[in-house]
Amino acid sequence: MLQGTLIYGFINSVMLLLVALGFNLTFGISGVANFAFGALYITAGFLAWIGLNTLGLPYWLAGCAAVLITAVLAGLLYRFVVLRVRGLVVSEVIATFGVGLAILELFRFLGFIGFEYTLPEMLDLEVSLGGVIVDGQRLTILLVGAGLTLFLWLFTRHTRTGRAFRAIAQDEHTALTLGINTERVATVSVAFGAAYAAVAALVILPLGTIAVNEGYHVLVNALAVCIVGGLGSTLGVIVASFMIGFAQTFTATYLDTSWMMVVSLLAILVILLVRPSGLFGSQKQLEERI
Amino acid sequence: MAAQDTSKQVTRRRERLDRGIKVRSEDIYALNSWREALYLLAPRALPVVALVLLQLLAPEYWQRVLISTTVFALLAISWDLAASSGMVCLGQALFFGVGAYLAGIMNHYLGLPPGLTLPLATLGGGVICTVLLLPVLRLRGIYFAMFTLILPLMIERIIEATKVFGGTEGLSGLTPFAHPLWESFLTMAALWVALFGLRRIMASDYGLVLKGINDNDRAVMSAALNIYRYKAQALFLAAATGAFAGAFMTHSYRFVGMPVFALDYSILPIASAAVGGLGTLAGPALGAFILVPLSEMLRGLGGLRIVIYAVLLVVFTVGLPEGVFHYLRRKYTQFERWTEVGK
Amino acid sequence: MTEPAPQPPRDEIILAVEGLSKRFGGVTAVDDVSFNVKQGELLGVIGPNGSGKTTLVNLITGFLQPSTGRVSLKGQDITGGPPYRTAELGLARTFQMVKPFYQLPAFKNVVVALFSPRVKRLAGGAYGDRDAVAKDLLEEVGFERDSWVINKQASVLPHGYLKRLELARCLALRPEVLVLDELFSGLSLAEVASLVPVIEKLMVQGMTIIMVEHRLKELFRIADRVLVLNFGQKIAEGVPAEVMAQPKVRGAYLGSESED
């Protein structure tokens, strides 16, 4: 029992991590809190579903197309919505929140509700980890989660765009003077974050159905992890994912799944009281927060 | 202010000047002429009279719409008050829902009549919401927004999990108002009290401090003012206004359940504020009077309602940040003309 | 109305800073700084860029929690704020990066400060006509009374006026100690020249002032004492001319002094 809870807690943590990485990436680089994040996640799921079932594309093609289209959509969202209110934090939040709502509720209106909206699993096998049976999809989540984290780490350190990301994250104005087109990099960062959301959707959604409400849950989870970890800090996001992930799984096992969201909220409250800047947040962040 | 066209030799710019009557009636006060008194009174009295007439003359169906419009206007005012004090709330449903449940609980379990549940739920809702948000009052901007987004969703889950207060079924068969006219005039009275009262407060030096917190909380702190106390007070006022709206709806529908924490009640006030124009309290109320009847006319679209709100919200936030109210006020108080500048 | 609060006799220590340190992650921004400020004196705090001057101001005024150390105002412990309590006790500050209320008219900026409980307490329970007092204060720091500027939204005011607005907002509290964080930075010579008499007048009235400055020439003309910071440490303290003669102070400034 405990072993199972531990392993499923670990998997749940990686799921949170997958979801939070993208949100955190965008915020850390361009300072845009993308409240349409959950909507993009669900969009990717439906895009892949349409590619597979309506257009009859092979899995890999439908998947890649979904990720790509989601990224482009996010880039457009930045260009045509966020950029116009850039710097007005409240307007940024309200505008992206509005876009997210419009997308999600449009899906609901168009009738994308039901058990037929599922994505196929990638690996069809079962593995026994210390006596606990883990299915192929959850293994995929572990692998992809580790892969994406590693990729992000390598990308921001060893590629030109990645270094530009970090430069902007440090100080946008200085980056400008260094000849970095901050606007373009910010667009890319939003698209990049959305691509992460799309990949997360492709590996997580096969566990259940593609449900509109899941979009809101994903946003809430991403927010919780990022607040606890410290927005913009990748290490913080990793640690926070595991803290909240295990806490959620234990609550679900020993209490009830309905309390899982309460855990996220309590985690936020506790961290705000103990360490207002988040686990690994900087002084700059503390000043933004309080 | 200046729309310049540099391609032509003669440059023109739009000039805006305060109307003489505005200048006179603001500086010297309007009592020396009926015209000036009317200039000041008309924009305040006209909506009051219009609403009363509408309420009395409209067909019954639209009377109901008008009541729910007024309730949403209250919610929009509540949102704007909090936002003007530096607290942007993405979960206005919290205020609404807490008020609604309080009224429902007091009526269902204790058998209190609406005459008691309404004031108690208003005050109690204000206190409960303020206490719930007290730990995060220190947070600014998006951090506060994030937290408020999560809270109503969470309460919904808790009610679902613990099955308290009727669980997913909610509480039904609650006491209705004695007479439909009661409903109309109660909501209207509440709207005008909230609108004019809160506008009064925001125009005083106390309101100045709240606006200052929104503008620059550090500077307010350095002026020896305890910003958390002021924020808590503003939050209480906003929450009480929202809670009243919720409590009213409980008795109007004779039912309270989990839907009171639904997104509708969070998104509509924000959309109203964006459409009407932020920071004036009257703007968001006006926004509600545009949006709610509009969505009622588009009733056939059903679930598309939230989509429309959301799209309007984005369009106004991004494209027309001035909002309807600021636009109307500008037209009322200033006149514009094109003047030629330079060569 | 605008005279400072009743002052204790001169030469009494009014502000004591003991072993103040602040670490950000691995960086020590302020390192074990101690000093005293006497009633009615003007203490200048100088140092090259990044030497921890503004951090020191934030620590003293309660905007930052120090890692170690103690700050006391007239014997009362004010370490670590909160900032509104520090201000309530009579320690007012200006910000290097001006922080006006951009949406409000200039004189209403000062009215906000006049609304504070400290003002009410000092005035014996009555606030008086805050608008009029605010305009008096603005006139005192060099705004032209009855001119357009006083009624204009702060967002359209030029930088020089915003600096004065900062000062007026502090004076509204009738503080006992005034901390001016780079009041002169970004101002023209003429603007500085017109502000110096304002400060001199405050000195005559017996106000205790801590001035963090980059503009050494102007500072030395009015400062009683200066304190030199470098890499967060206090490297010298004393009369301006003597301090500047010290080799380590010259060393700290050589090459890193960009202004003046």
Side-chain angles (χ1 to χ4, degrees):
Chain A
M1 178 71 173
L2 181 67
Q3 218 159 14
T5 314
L6 281 176
I7 287 183
Y8 275 86
F10 190 83
I11 295 167
N12 186 40
S13 307
V14 177
M15 278 161 59
L16 283 182
L17 177 63
L18 267 172
V19 165
L21 271 182
F23 185 88
N24 189 57
L25 176 72
T26 305
F27 187 86
I29 292 161
S30 55
V32 177
N34 183 2
F35 275 68
F37 192 77
L40 291 167
Y41 173 91
I42 292 299
T43 307
F46 280 125
L47 283 174
W49 187 89
I50 292 170
L52 282 170
N53 297 297
T54 314
L55 305 176
L57 300 176
Y59 184 84
W60 63 270
L61 189 59
C64 289
V67 173
L68 213 65
I69 295 175
T70 310
V72 171
L73 278 178
L76 292 176
L77 165 72
Y78 180 80
R79 268 286 140 113
F80 292 103
V81 177
V82 180
L83 199 56
R84 283 160 176 267
V85 288
R86 193 71 207 277
L88 305 167
V89 179
V90 171
S91 300
E92 277 179 15
V93 169
I94 292 179
T96 52
F97 184 55
V99 170
L101 265 178
I103 295 175
L104 285 174
E105 295 302 319
L106 191 65
F107 277 128
R108 203 197 294 275
F109 175 72
L110 293 177
F112 281 92
I113 301 168
F115 291 110
E116 68 270 33
Y117 296 104
T118 52
L119 291 177
E121 304 199 349
M122 290 176 183
L123 294 172
D124 191 19
L125 56 95
E126 279 183 353
V127 177
S128 169
L129 290 175
V132 183
I133 307 288
V134 177
D135 57 289
Q137 195 54 42
R138 291 196 164 79
L139 275 183
T140 320
I141 290 174
L142 291 183
L143 292 177
V144 173
L148 281 188
T149 314
L150 190 68
F151 175 74
L152 185 65
W153 191 79
L154 291 173
F155 182 81
T156 49
R157 270 167 186 74
H158 299 289
T159 65
R160 219 182 121 75
T161 321
R163 289 207 206 106
F165 275 7
R166 292 210 299 163
I168 290 198
Q170 295 277 325
D171 190 305
E172 195 168 332
H173 293 284
T174 316
L176 263 174
T177 64
L178 293 174
I180 295 171
N181 182 344
T182 56
E183 224 162 71
R184 210 181 61 213
V185 178
T187 313
V188 173
S189 83
V190 176
F192 216 87
Y196 262 68
V199 175
L202 288 184
V203 295
I204 295 175
L205 284 175
L207 292 178
T209 56
I210 317 174
V212 169
N213 283 339
E214 201 54 34
Y216 296 114
H217 290 161
V218 161
L219 178 63
V220 167
N221 277 334
L223 290 178
V225 170
C226 290
I227 295 182
V228 171
L231 274 174
S233 152
T234 307
L235 182 63
V237 165
I238 296 174
V239 176
S241 297
F242 279 87
M243 276 174 49
I244 299 181
F246 276 109
Q248 281 185 343
T249 309
F250 273 92
T251 330
T253 316
Y254 296 104
L255 265 171
D256 187 276
T257 43
S258 310
W259 291 97
M260 276 168 75
M261 200 187 280
V262 183
V263 171
S264 314
L265 211 78
L266 279 180
I268 295 180
L269 270 184
V270 170
I271 207 76
L272 286 176
L273 293 177
V274 181
R275 237 189 104 79
S277 61
L279 284 176
F280 292 86
S282 55
Q283 182 66 33
K284 184 177 151 204
Q285 204 165 43
L286 184 65
E287 279 172 24
E288 271 168 23
R289 283 180 178 209
I290 59 173
Chain B
M1 187 137 129
Q4 290 189 340
D5 186 355
T6 42
S7 63
K8 287 179 199 152
Q9 271 302 313
V10 180
T11 327
R12 297 198 309 157
R13 76 182 183 92
R14 187 139 58 170
E15 196 176 46
R16 292 202 182 116
L17 294 171
D18 279 0
R19 291 179 200 278
I21 190 166
K22 171 179 191 267
V23 178
R24 281 198 304 280
S25 53
E26 275 184 2
D27 278 1
I28 318 172
Y29 285 104
L31 297 173
N32 45 8
S33 113
W34 280 110
R35 219 171 89 82
E36 282 161 22
L38 200 64
Y39 174 84
L40 279 184
L41 269 179
R44 291 161 177 83
L46 220 57
V48 179
V49 176
L51 201 56
V52 172
L53 286 180
L54 269 178
Q55 197 66 263
L56 292 174
L57 302 176
E60 202 183 319
Y61 173 72
W62 283 99
Q63 282 185 7
R64 301 293 311 168
V65 174
L66 216 55
I67 289 176
S68 65
T69 308
T70 316
V71 169
F72 275 114
L74 276 171
L75 213 49
I77 291 174
S78 147
W79 185 87
D80 199 35
L81 180 70
S84 305
S85 322
M87 295 174 285
V88 174
C89 188
L90 290 183
Q92 204 68 17
L94 175 72
F95 302 166
F96 186 85
V98 168
Y101 260 99
L102 273 181
I105 291 163
M106 283 190 277
N107 185 248
H108 184 86
Y109 295 104
L110 308 177
L112 298 182
L116 278 175
T117 58
L118 277 184
L120 285 178
T122 305
L123 289 177
V127 172
I128 291 177
C129 294
T130 312
V131 170
L132 275 177
L133 290 172
L134 217 49
V136 289
L137 225 47
R138 279 156 42 104
L139 295 184
R140 304 199 289 181
I142 54 170
Y143 297 91
F144 184 84
M146 286 177 183
F147 195 84
T148 52
L149 173 67
I150 303 176
L151 255 185
L153 295 173
M154 186 196 80
I155 292 184
E156 224 180 330
R157 288 287 91 74
I158 293 182
I159 292 176
E160 195 182 359
T162 56
K163 301 185 177 60
V164 287
F165 312 134
T168 45
E169 302 289 313
L171 304 170
S172 51
L174 304 175
T175 317
F177 288 102
H179 191 274
L181 267 185
W182 249 109
E183 288 184 45
S184 319
F185 285 96
L186 190 62
T187 44
M188 260 194 281
L191 177 68
W192 301 127
V193 168
L195 183 60
F196 291 121
L198 294 176
R199 264 177 77 89
R200 230 315 148 52
I201 290 179
M202 286 311 276
S204 69
D205 286 352
Y206 178 84
L208 220 52
V209 175
L210 296 182
K211 286 183 203 157
I213 292 174
N214 184 27
D215 216 335
N216 203 325
D217 53 356
R218 299 289 142 106
V220 180
M221 275 200 270
S222 75
L225 291 159
N226 182 348
I227 60 168
Y228 307 117
R229 226 179 68 203
Y230 285 91
K231 275 173 126 174
Q233 288 165 354
L235 192 64
F236 172 79
L237 286 175
T241 311
F244 174 84
F248 177 85
M249 278 311 232
T250 293
H251 286 293
S252 184
Y253 289 154
R254 309 182 58 191
F255 164 78
V256 61
M258 278 163 48
V260 293
F261 289 107
L263 266 173
D264 289 52
Y265 298 106
S266 295
I267 188 69
L268 196 111
I270 313 178
S272 301
V275 170
L278 284 80
T280 54
L281 302 180
L286 180 65
F289 273 91
I290 296 171
L291 281 184
V292 180
L294 187 75
S295 79
E296 210 50 50
M297 279 184 251
L298 305 172
R299 194 114 193 117
L301 296 174
L304 211 52
R305 203 172 65 245
I306 297 191
V307 180
I308 292 172
Y309 294 155
V311 169
L312 279 175
L313 173 61
V314 176
V315 167
F316 272 87
T317 308
V318 174
L320 307 160
E322 187 184 39
V324 177
F325 183 77
H326 289 284
Y327 175 83
L328 289 178
R329 185 163 65 176
R330 186 156 55 76
K331 288 286 171 198
Y332 191 69
T333 57
Q334 297 179 315
F335 63 88
E336 293 172 355
R337 64 174 182 209
W338 287 96
T339 50
E340 291 183 359
V341 200
K343 296 157 236 178
Chain C
M1 185 71 218
T2 51
E3 290 100 74
Q7 309 279 356
R10 272 176 177 269
D11 291 339
E12 200 165 285
I13 289 172
I14 186 162
L15 184 79
V17 175
E18 296 158 38
L20 211 56
S21 296
K22 178 68 185 175
R23 282 179 289 278
F24 295 117
V27 189
T28 306
V30 170
D31 191 0
D32 196 21
V33 172
S34 307
F35 63 90
N36 291 325
V37 185
K38 280 183 269 182
Q39 172 62 44
E41 77 169 338
L42 195 155
L43 175 74
V45 176
I46 62 172
N49 282 322
S51 56
K53 301 188 296 289
T54 293
T55 307
L56 182 65
V57 172
N58 283 336
L59 289 172
I60 295 174
T61 52
F63 277 83
L64 280 177
Q65 288 277 351
S67 307
T68 54
R70 215 177 97 93
V71 185
S72 51
L73 179 68
K74 291 192 297 180
Q76 232 172 330
D77 189 11
I78 56 163
T79 318
Y84 46 82
R85 183 173 162 260
T86 311
E88 164 69 34
L89 293 173
L91 182 66
R93 71 167 295 189
T94 67
F95 291 90
Q96 182 189 358
M97 310 294 262
V98 286
K99 292 193 189 299
F101 308 119
Y102 285 109
Q103 307 304 318
L104 303 181
F107 77 97
K108 288 285 186 189
N109 270 265
V110 184
V111 171
V112 171
L114 286 171
F115 196 72
S116 86
R118 174 179 169 84
V119 177
K120 187 175 179 180
R121 186 162 50 81
L122 292 183
Y127 277 118
D129 182 356
R130 283 190 285 264
D131 285 6
V133 177
K135 288 177 180 170
D136 287 344
L137 279 163
L138 283 175
E139 199 175 13
E140 209 167 296
V141 297
F143 275 74
E144 299 84 12
R145 203 190 177 107
D146 301 325
S147 73
W148 62 278
V149 234
I150 223 161
N151 292 309
K152 272 285 170 195
Q153 261 199 7
S155 55
V156 301
L157 290 189
H159 187 67
Y161 278 110
L162 293 180
K163 287 276 184 179
R164 289 160 197 270
L165 200 54
E166 286 277 316
L167 186 57
R169 206 177 55 214
C170 284
L171 293 181
L173 292 177
R174 300 166 72 190
E176 296 175 36
V177 180
L178 194 56
V179 183
L180 306 174
D181 191 1
E182 306 220 4
L183 187 68
F184 293 159
S185 71
L187 297 187
S188 70
L189 279 176
E191 283 172 320
V192 173
S194 71
L195 258 180
V196 168
V198 175
I199 292 166
E200 281 172 334
K201 192 175 159 208
L202 289 172
M203 292 167 69
V204 170
Q205 290 170 351
M207 179 82 76
T208 314
I209 303 175
I210 300 175
M211 256 184 116
V212 173
E213 260 316 321
H214 247 323
R215 307 275 280 252
L216 302 186
K217 213 189 295 167
E218 286 88 350
L219 178 68
F220 288 170
R221 213 170 288 155
I222 48 178
D224 297 314
R225 268 182 331 131
V226 290
L227 183 153
V228 191
L229 287 180
N230 196 22
F231 295 115
Q233 288 172 325
K234 181 173 94 173
I235 58 170
E237 189 182 350
V239 182
E242 285 171 17
V243 164
M244 284 317 276
Q246 291 182 25
K248 53 184 173 182
V249 175
R250 303 187 75 91
Y253 262 93
L254 217 61
S256 54
E257 232 291 57
S258 54
E259 291 174 59
D260 279 34

